[in-house]
Amino acid sequence: MSWQSYVDEHLMCDLEGGGHLTAAAILGHDGSVWAQSANFPQFKPEEFKGVMTDFDEPGHLAPTGLLLNGAKYMVIQGEAGAVIRGKKGAGGVTIKKTGQALVIGVYEEPVTPGQCNMVVERLGDYLVDQGL
């Protein structure tokens, strides 16, 4: 299965209760794009570095927020070293770190934070189980 099909079929899929993620991507730990939805907002290099630092030093992004292409998300409770969650108005972002990649989902209402977390983290856990 191609990386693009993981994004298209597992992240951008229709969710239970309706709706789907606004954008999604799978990026390597070096920031390289493995696959993404057409409308995924690109990380600026310093923004990506901040996310990777937060996985190594949980709480790093809390004072400044998580930035994604200049959009600022308030960092909310995640899993130290494994999941970063951000909130911005009625939407947000979930980032799951695997051994080699970051699985990222961006959502807006009517999608709930829990729906986004479930889709992103389920794929991330699967990739971890596959040694990726």
Side-chain angles (χ1 to χ4, degrees):
M1 182 178 279
S2 75
W3 290 112
Q4 192 60 50
S5 62
Y6 281 109
V7 169
D8 297 342
E9 297 170 22
H10 296 280
L11 295 174
M12 296 301 290
C13 61
D14 290 332
L15 301 173
E16 284 183 38
H20 53 81
L21 298 182
T22 307
I26 302 173
L27 306 178
H29 286 183
D30 61 356
S32 62
V33 176
W34 291 11
Q36 64 185 11
S37 61
N39 58 345
F40 185 77
Q42 302 303 307
F43 273 107
K44 295 175 181 164
E46 65 275 10
E47 295 171 344
F48 188 81
K49 185 173 186 264
V51 168
M52 291 306 291
T53 300
D54 196 80
F55 280 117
D56 294 334
E57 303 169 22
H60 171 77
L61 290 174
T64 59
L66 182 157
L67 293 172
L68 176 53
N69 197 25
K72 185 175 181 176
Y73 293 83
M74 178 178 66
V75 177
I76 54 177
Q77 181 260 333
E79 295 172 36
V83 179
I84 298 172
R85 298 183 183 115
K87 185 90 174 114
K88 178 175 174 269
V93 61
T94 302
I95 305 173
K96 167 75 177 180
K97 183 181 181 192
T98 73
Q100 299 176 28
L102 300 183
V103 180
I104 305 165
V106 180
Y107 68 93
E108 295 290 338
E109 282 187 329
V111 174
T112 67
Q115 286 174 306
C116 182
N117 296 343
M118 185 183 70
V119 169
V120 170
E121 293 174 38
R122 183 171 50 198
L123 178 58
D125 289 342
Y126 170 79
L127 295 177
V128 167
D129 290 345
Q130 300 303 307
L132 297 167

